[in-house]
Amino acid sequence: MYTLKSIGILWYREVLRYVRDRARILSSLGPPFFMLVVFGGGLTPAMGGLAPEALGGSVNYTQFVFPGTIAMSVLFTAMFTGTSIVWDREFGFLKEVLVSPVSRTAVALSKILGGSTVAMLQGMLMLTFAPLIGVPLSVGLALQLGLLMFITAFALTSLGVVIAVRMRSLEGFQMIMNFLNVPLLFLSGAFFPLRDLPIWLTVLVRVNPFTYAVDALRQVVLQSLGLSEQTHQALVAAGLGIELFGRALSIWDDTLLIVLFGFLMTVLGAWMFSQRD
């Protein structure tokens, strides 16, 4: 009971810091909004309809990019959660927590849960733009996307914690995050259809765990636009889905892969946190 209470308190601290920092909330919305409105709107005439009418509907480029911008918001917020670990270490707060009766595994889990919640909330804010681009927003759609965002955020936050545990400076951590976030984002299919790719790029896309998060979010949005799940193989051929070992991945397949990656990163992060000096 004491451990659960400690996790809850440390989780609440992470969420409270986010809610009180309005500048952080607004600035985090900037890049995804820019990509959605400027990048998406500017390329829509060139890209045209991405899904043939035979698939049960058509998708313009802005609607295609929308799930990618949601995923982008979750990615950046989740990965940079590790900043709080480095920050707390520099200002002595982490040392005070580690010498308390709370286990180090509980501290690591509280950081991961707090970062996951914050990243999910940041992603949910992007849903306010859905009606502006022709995506019908409903309670069911918000719940589905919210759950996928949390699962994605949990996996990515765990990865951020794994990296942050061994970092000694805030500047070094931020440089590594910038180095990782860009390839994770642009090798995920967040902004471009995954079709006619060279073999080497196809391999990089498939080994990128963030690819499956983007694919799951996109499938949920596409289904809300009337593109049926029965035409999934055709969607893959059109670059609006992903195939692995000859199998067109469903939302459940994508989610399972994200959960497995998140589990591995969580175990690794908790172990590394317990081993640090």
Side-chain angles (χ1 to χ4, degrees):
M1 183 63 69
Y2 177 79
T3 299
L4 291 177
K5 184 177 180 180
S6 301
I7 291 176
I9 291 173
L10 293 173
W11 166 85
Y12 179 71
R13 176 176 178 265
E14 295 294 322
V15 175
L16 190 62
R17 289 172 63 182
Y18 168 76
V19 173
R20 288 181 173 178
D21 195 347
R22 296 181 180 179
R24 176 186 175 186
I25 297 174
L26 294 176
S27 61
S28 296
L29 284 174
F33 180 76
F34 176 84
M35 297 297 289
L36 179 65
V37 175
V38 178
F39 191 69
L43 288 181
T44 294
M47 299 295 290
L50 293 176
E53 293 293 337
L55 297 181
S58 61
V59 178
N60 62 44
Y61 185 65
T62 304
Q63 293 169 333
F64 172 83
V65 167
F66 180 60
T69 59
I70 294 176
M72 174 184 177
S73 182
V74 173
L75 170 67
F76 279 43
T77 306
M79 291 288 278
F80 276 99
T81 296
T83 303
S84 66
I85 294 179
V86 183
W87 184 274
D88 289 343
R89 180 185 294 119
E90 288 190 356
F91 285 87
F93 178 80
L94 185 60
K95 183 177 181 180
E96 295 178 3
V97 173
L98 293 179
V99 298
S100 70
V102 183
S103 69
R104 295 189 174 190
T105 300
V107 175
L109 288 177
S110 66
K111 288 288 186 181
I112 294 172
L113 287 172
S116 303
T117 305
V118 168
M120 181 194 68
L121 293 175
Q122 191 69 45
M124 292 294 285
L125 290 177
M126 290 298 299
L127 296 183
T128 57
F129 302 122
L132 301 178
I133 60 173
V135 175
L137 185 60
S138 64
V139 175
L141 178 62
L143 290 176
Q144 283 183 281
L145 292 176
L147 179 59
L148 285 173
M149 287 181 215
F150 182 80
I151 294 173
T152 300
F154 193 90
L156 295 173
T157 303
S158 300
L159 176 59
V161 168
V162 168
I163 298 171
V165 167
R166 296 300 179 183
M167 298 303 300
R168 297 298 177 182
S169 70
L170 192 60
E171 295 79 8
F173 177 77
Q174 290 176 336
M175 289 295 294
I176 291 180
M177 286 299 98
N178 288 327
F179 177 77
L180 285 177
N181 283 343
V182 172
L184 283 175
L185 179 63
F186 284 97
L187 290 175
S188 67
F191 302 121
F192 301 102
L194 297 175
R195 62 188 179 205
D196 302 326
L197 300 178
I199 295 178
W200 65 270
L201 189 55
T202 299
V203 172
L204 291 178
V205 168
R206 297 300 189 272
V207 299
N208 179 9
F210 191 56
T211 298
Y212 306 102
V214 173
D215 185 53
L217 291 170
R218 179 165 290 130
Q219 287 191 57
V220 172
V221 172
L222 291 180
Q223 289 179 23
S224 73
L225 295 174
L227 295 176
S228 65
E229 195 172 4
Q230 286 70 28
T231 58
H232 192 189
Q233 191 66 52
L235 290 174
V236 172
L240 305 185
I242 189 169
E243 191 176 56
L244 189 64
F245 301 120
R247 172 188 172 90
L249 299 183
S250 66
I251 297 174
W252 291 107
D253 295 327
D254 288 325
T255 304
L256 178 60
L257 290 172
I258 301 167
V259 169
L260 288 175
F261 176 77
F263 175 76
L264 292 175
M265 289 298 102
T266 301
V267 172
L268 180 59
W271 179 79
M272 292 180 65
F273 207 89
S274 65
Q275 297 298 312
R276 73 171 300 277
D277 299 328

Short mmCIF file of all heavy atoms in Angstrom, two decimals, residues 94-138:
data_model
loop_
_atom_site.label_atom_id
_atom_site.label_comp_id
_atom_site.label_asym_id
_atom_site.label_seq_id
_atom_site.Cartn_x
_atom_site.Cartn_y
_atom_site.Cartn_z
N LEU A 94 16.04 14.13 -6.78
CA LEU A 94 16.09 12.70 -7.03
C LEU A 94 16.87 11.98 -5.93
O LEU A 94 16.51 10.87 -5.51
CB LEU A 94 16.74 12.43 -8.39
CG LEU A 94 16.75 10.97 -8.86
CD1 LEU A 94 15.34 10.43 -8.99
CD2 LEU A 94 17.49 10.84 -10.19
N LYS A 95 17.92 12.60 -5.44
CA LYS A 95 18.71 11.98 -4.37
C LYS A 95 17.87 11.81 -3.11
O LYS A 95 17.95 10.78 -2.43
CB LYS A 95 19.93 12.85 -4.06
CG LYS A 95 20.85 12.26 -3.01
CD LYS A 95 22.08 13.14 -2.79
CE LYS A 95 23.00 12.52 -1.75
NZ LYS A 95 24.21 13.36 -1.53
N GLU A 96 17.03 12.81 -2.81
CA GLU A 96 16.17 12.73 -1.64
C GLU A 96 15.15 11.62 -1.78
O GLU A 96 14.81 10.93 -0.81
CB GLU A 96 15.46 14.07 -1.42
CG GLU A 96 16.40 15.21 -1.07
CD GLU A 96 15.66 16.52 -0.91
OE1 GLU A 96 14.42 16.52 -1.00
OE2 GLU A 96 16.32 17.55 -0.68
N VAL A 97 14.64 11.43 -3.00
CA VAL A 97 13.66 10.37 -3.23
C VAL A 97 14.31 9.00 -3.12
O VAL A 97 13.74 8.07 -2.54
CB VAL A 97 13.01 10.54 -4.63
CG1 VAL A 97 12.12 9.34 -4.95
CG2 VAL A 97 12.18 11.82 -4.68
N LEU A 98 15.52 8.87 -3.65
CA LEU A 98 16.18 7.58 -3.68
C LEU A 98 16.62 7.10 -2.29
O LEU A 98 16.76 5.90 -2.07
CB LEU A 98 17.40 7.63 -4.61
CG LEU A 98 17.09 7.82 -6.10
CD1 LEU A 98 18.37 7.87 -6.91
CD2 LEU A 98 16.18 6.71 -6.62
N VAL A 99 16.85 8.03 -1.36
CA VAL A 99 17.24 7.61 0.00
C VAL A 99 16.02 7.38 0.88
O VAL A 99 16.17 6.98 2.05
CB VAL A 99 18.15 8.67 0.66
CG1 VAL A 99 19.44 8.83 -0.13
CG2 VAL A 99 17.44 10.02 0.79
N SER A 100 14.83 7.61 0.35
CA SER A 100 13.59 7.35 1.09
C SER A 100 13.28 5.86 1.04
O SER A 100 13.90 5.10 0.28
CB SER A 100 12.45 8.15 0.48
OG SER A 100 12.10 7.65 -0.79
N PRO A 101 12.29 5.40 1.83
CA PRO A 101 11.93 3.97 1.82
C PRO A 101 11.30 3.49 0.51
O PRO A 101 11.11 2.29 0.33
CB PRO A 101 10.91 3.85 2.97
CG PRO A 101 11.16 5.04 3.84
CD PRO A 101 11.60 6.13 2.92
N VAL A 102 10.98 4.41 -0.40
CA VAL A 102 10.36 4.02 -1.68
C VAL A 102 11.39 3.27 -2.53
O VAL A 102 12.53 3.70 -2.66
CB VAL A 102 9.87 5.27 -2.44
CG1 VAL A 102 9.15 4.86 -3.74
CG2 VAL A 102 8.95 6.09 -1.57
N SER A 103 10.98 2.15 -3.09
CA SER A 103 11.89 1.38 -3.93
C SER A 103 12.20 2.15 -5.21
O SER A 103 11.39 2.94 -5.69
CB SER A 103 11.27 0.02 -4.28
OG SER A 103 10.18 0.17 -5.15
N ARG A 104 13.37 1.89 -5.74
CA ARG A 104 13.77 2.58 -6.97
C ARG A 104 12.90 2.15 -8.15
O ARG A 104 12.67 2.94 -9.06
CB ARG A 104 15.24 2.30 -7.26
CG ARG A 104 16.16 2.87 -6.20
CD ARG A 104 17.61 2.78 -6.59
NE ARG A 104 18.47 3.46 -5.63
CZ ARG A 104 19.77 3.71 -5.82
NH1 ARG A 104 20.33 3.31 -6.95
NH2 ARG A 104 20.46 4.34 -4.92
N THR A 105 12.43 0.92 -8.14
CA THR A 105 11.52 0.47 -9.20
C THR A 105 10.23 1.27 -9.17
O THR A 105 9.70 1.66 -10.22
CB THR A 105 11.21 -1.03 -9.02
OG1 THR A 105 12.42 -1.78 -9.10
CG2 THR A 105 10.24 -1.50 -10.09
N ALA A 106 9.73 1.56 -7.97
CA ALA A 106 8.50 2.36 -7.84
C ALA A 106 8.72 3.78 -8.35
O ALA A 106 7.83 4.37 -8.97
CB ALA A 106 8.05 2.38 -6.38
N VAL A 107 9.91 4.32 -8.09
CA VAL A 107 10.22 5.66 -8.58
C VAL A 107 10.24 5.68 -10.10
O VAL A 107 9.69 6.59 -10.74
CB VAL A 107 11.58 6.14 -8.02
CG1 VAL A 107 11.96 7.50 -8.63
CG2 VAL A 107 11.54 6.24 -6.51
N ALA A 108 10.86 4.66 -10.69
CA ALA A 108 10.91 4.57 -12.15
C ALA A 108 9.51 4.44 -12.74
O ALA A 108 9.17 5.10 -13.73
CB ALA A 108 11.78 3.39 -12.58
N LEU A 109 8.67 3.60 -12.14
CA LEU A 109 7.29 3.41 -12.63
C LEU A 109 6.48 4.70 -12.51
O LEU A 109 5.67 5.01 -13.39
CB LEU A 109 6.62 2.28 -11.86
CG LEU A 109 7.09 0.86 -12.18
CD1 LEU A 109 6.40 -0.15 -11.28
CD2 LEU A 109 6.83 0.52 -13.65
N SER A 110 6.70 5.43 -11.42
CA SER A 110 5.96 6.69 -11.26
C SER A 110 6.35 7.70 -12.32
O SER A 110 5.50 8.44 -12.84
CB SER A 110 6.22 7.27 -9.86
OG SER A 110 7.58 7.66 -9.72
N LYS A 111 7.63 7.74 -12.68
CA LYS A 111 8.08 8.63 -13.74
C LYS A 111 7.47 8.23 -15.09
O LYS A 111 7.02 9.08 -15.87
CB LYS A 111 9.61 8.59 -13.84
CG LYS A 111 10.35 9.28 -12.71
CD LYS A 111 10.21 10.79 -12.82
CE LYS A 111 11.07 11.50 -11.78
NZ LYS A 111 10.92 12.98 -11.88
N ILE A 112 7.44 6.91 -15.34
CA ILE A 112 6.88 6.43 -16.60
C ILE A 112 5.39 6.70 -16.68
O ILE A 112 4.88 7.18 -17.70
CB ILE A 112 7.18 4.93 -16.76
CG1 ILE A 112 8.69 4.69 -16.91
CG2 ILE A 112 6.44 4.35 -17.97
CD1 ILE A 112 9.09 3.23 -16.87
N LEU A 113 4.66 6.43 -15.61
CA LEU A 113 3.22 6.67 -15.60
C LEU A 113 2.90 8.15 -15.70
O LEU A 113 1.97 8.55 -16.41
CB LEU A 113 2.61 6.09 -14.32
CG LEU A 113 2.51 4.57 -14.25
CD1 LEU A 113 2.06 4.13 -12.85
CD2 LEU A 113 1.53 4.04 -15.30
N GLY A 114 3.67 8.97 -14.99
CA GLY A 114 3.45 10.42 -15.06
C GLY A 114 3.70 10.95 -16.45
O GLY A 114 2.89 11.72 -17.00
N GLY A 115 4.82 10.53 -17.06
CA GLY A 115 5.13 10.97 -18.41
C GLY A 115 4.11 10.48 -19.43
O GLY A 115 3.76 11.19 -20.37
N SER A 116 3.62 9.25 -19.24
CA SER A 116 2.62 8.70 -20.16
C SER A 116 1.32 9.49 -20.08
O SER A 116 0.69 9.78 -21.11
CB SER A 116 2.35 7.23 -19.80
OG SER A 116 3.53 6.47 -19.84
N THR A 117 0.91 9.84 -18.88
CA THR A 117 -0.31 10.62 -18.71
C THR A 117 -0.19 11.99 -19.35
O THR A 117 -1.10 12.45 -20.05
CB THR A 117 -0.64 10.77 -17.22
OG1 THR A 117 -0.72 9.48 -16.61
CG2 THR A 117 -1.97 11.49 -17.02
N VAL A 118 0.95 12.64 -19.12
CA VAL A 118 1.17 13.97 -19.69
C VAL A 118 1.18 13.91 -21.21
O VAL A 118 0.56 14.75 -21.89
CB VAL A 118 2.51 14.54 -19.16
CG1 VAL A 118 2.92 15.78 -19.95
CG2 VAL A 118 2.39 14.88 -17.68
N ALA A 119 1.86 12.91 -21.79
CA ALA A 119 1.92 12.78 -23.24
C ALA A 119 0.55 12.49 -23.83
O ALA A 119 0.20 12.99 -24.91
CB ALA A 119 2.91 11.68 -23.62
N MET A 120 -0.24 11.67 -23.13
CA MET A 120 -1.60 11.38 -23.61
C MET A 120 -2.46 12.64 -23.60
O MET A 120 -3.19 12.92 -24.56
CB MET A 120 -2.25 10.32 -22.73
CG MET A 120 -3.67 9.95 -23.17
SD MET A 120 -4.58 9.00 -21.93
CE MET A 120 -4.78 10.26 -20.65
N LEU A 121 -2.36 13.43 -22.53
CA LEU A 121 -3.13 14.68 -22.45
C LEU A 121 -2.72 15.64 -23.56
O LEU A 121 -3.57 16.31 -24.16
CB LEU A 121 -2.91 15.33 -21.08
CG LEU A 121 -3.49 14.59 -19.87
CD1 LEU A 121 -3.09 15.28 -18.58
CD2 LEU A 121 -5.01 14.49 -19.97
N GLN A 122 -1.43 15.69 -23.85
CA GLN A 122 -0.95 16.56 -24.92
C GLN A 122 -1.50 16.10 -26.27
O GLN A 122 -1.90 16.91 -27.11
CB GLN A 122 0.58 16.55 -24.95
CG GLN A 122 1.20 17.60 -25.85
CD GLN A 122 1.00 19.01 -25.33
OE1 GLN A 122 1.19 19.27 -24.14
NE2 GLN A 122 0.62 19.92 -26.20
N GLY A 123 -1.53 14.79 -26.48
CA GLY A 123 -2.08 14.26 -27.72
C GLY A 123 -3.57 14.50 -27.84
O GLY A 123 -4.09 14.78 -28.93
N MET A 124 -4.28 14.41 -26.72
CA MET A 124 -5.73 14.62 -26.73
C MET A 124 -6.08 16.05 -27.14
O MET A 124 -7.13 16.30 -27.74
CB MET A 124 -6.32 14.32 -25.36
CG MET A 124 -6.27 12.84 -24.96
SD MET A 124 -7.30 11.78 -25.99
CE MET A 124 -8.93 12.17 -25.37
N LEU A 125 -5.21 16.99 -26.81
CA LEU A 125 -5.45 18.38 -27.20
C LEU A 125 -5.49 18.53 -28.72
O LEU A 125 -6.18 19.40 -29.25
CB LEU A 125 -4.37 19.29 -26.61
CG LEU A 125 -4.40 19.50 -25.10
CD1 LEU A 125 -3.23 20.36 -24.65
CD2 LEU A 125 -5.71 20.14 -24.66
N MET A 126 -4.75 17.67 -29.42
CA MET A 126 -4.74 17.73 -30.89
C MET A 126 -6.08 17.34 -31.49
O MET A 126 -6.38 17.70 -32.64
CB MET A 126 -3.63 16.82 -31.44
CG MET A 126 -2.22 17.30 -31.20
SD MET A 126 -1.89 18.88 -32.00
CE MET A 126 -2.16 18.46 -33.73
N LEU A 127 -6.89 16.62 -30.73
CA LEU A 127 -8.19 16.19 -31.25
C LEU A 127 -9.14 17.37 -31.48
O LEU A 127 -10.12 17.24 -32.21
CB LEU A 127 -8.85 15.19 -30.29
CG LEU A 127 -8.12 13.86 -30.10
CD1 LEU A 127 -8.93 12.94 -29.19
CD2 LEU A 127 -7.87 13.18 -31.44
N THR A 128 -8.84 18.50 -30.85
CA THR A 128 -9.69 19.68 -31.06
C THR A 128 -9.63 20.17 -32.50
O THR A 128 -10.52 20.89 -32.94
CB THR A 128 -9.27 20.82 -30.11
OG1 THR A 128 -7.88 21.12 -30.32
CG2 THR A 128 -9.47 20.40 -28.66
N PHE A 129 -8.58 19.77 -33.24
CA PHE A 129 -8.45 20.20 -34.64
C PHE A 129 -9.16 19.26 -35.60
O PHE A 129 -9.25 19.55 -36.79
CB PHE A 129 -6.97 20.29 -35.03
CG PHE A 129 -6.17 21.24 -34.19
CD1 PHE A 129 -5.05 20.79 -33.49
CD2 PHE A 129 -6.52 22.57 -34.09
CE1 PHE A 129 -4.32 21.66 -32.71
CE2 PHE A 129 -5.80 23.45 -33.31
CZ PHE A 129 -4.68 23.00 -32.61
N ALA A 130 -9.66 18.11 -35.10
CA ALA A 130 -10.27 17.11 -35.97
C ALA A 130 -11.42 17.65 -36.82
O ALA A 130 -11.45 17.44 -38.04
CB ALA A 130 -10.73 15.90 -35.14
N PRO A 131 -12.40 18.35 -36.24
CA PRO A 131 -13.52 18.84 -37.07
C PRO A 131 -13.09 19.82 -38.16
O PRO A 131 -13.76 19.93 -39.19
CB PRO A 131 -14.43 19.53 -36.04
CG PRO A 131 -14.08 18.91 -34.73
CD PRO A 131 -12.61 18.65 -34.82
N LEU A 132 -11.97 20.49 -37.95
CA LEU A 132 -11.51 21.49 -38.92
C LEU A 132 -11.00 20.86 -40.21
O LEU A 132 -10.96 21.52 -41.25
CB LEU A 132 -10.40 22.35 -38.31
CG LEU A 132 -10.76 23.12 -37.02
CD1 LEU A 132 -9.55 23.89 -36.52
CD2 LEU A 132 -11.93 24.08 -37.28
N ILE A 133 -10.63 19.57 -40.16
CA ILE A 133 -10.08 18.91 -41.35
C ILE A 133 -11.00 17.80 -41.85
O ILE A 133 -10.60 16.97 -42.66
CB ILE A 133 -8.68 18.33 -41.06
CG1 ILE A 133 -8.74 17.30 -39.93
CG2 ILE A 133 -7.70 19.44 -40.71
CD1 ILE A 133 -7.44 16.57 -39.71
N GLY A 134 -12.22 17.78 -41.35
CA GLY A 134 -13.19 16.82 -41.85
C GLY A 134 -13.18 15.47 -41.19
O GLY A 134 -13.73 14.50 -41.73
N VAL A 135 -12.57 15.35 -40.02
CA VAL A 135 -12.59 14.09 -39.26
C VAL A 135 -13.68 14.19 -38.21
O VAL A 135 -13.60 15.04 -37.32
CB VAL A 135 -11.23 13.82 -38.58
CG1 VAL A 135 -11.31 12.57 -37.71
CG2 VAL A 135 -10.13 13.67 -39.62
N PRO A 136 -14.74 13.36 -38.29
CA PRO A 136 -15.84 13.45 -37.34
C PRO A 136 -15.40 13.00 -35.95
O PRO A 136 -15.00 11.85 -35.75
CB PRO A 136 -16.90 12.50 -37.92
CG PRO A 136 -16.12 11.54 -38.76
CD PRO A 136 -14.96 12.30 -39.31
N LEU A 137 -15.44 13.91 -35.00
CA LEU A 137 -14.99 13.60 -33.64
C LEU A 137 -16.17 13.12 -32.80
O LEU A 137 -17.20 13.78 -32.73
CB LEU A 137 -14.36 14.85 -33.00
CG LEU A 137 -13.73 14.66 -31.62
CD1 LEU A 137 -12.60 13.64 -31.68
CD2 LEU A 137 -13.21 16.00 -31.09
N SER A 138 -16.01 11.96 -32.20
CA SER A 138 -17.04 11.39 -31.34
C SER A 138 -16.40 10.90 -30.05
O SER A 138 -15.17 10.81 -29.95
CB SER A 138 -17.75 10.24 -32.05
OG SER A 138 -16.85 9.17 -32.30
#
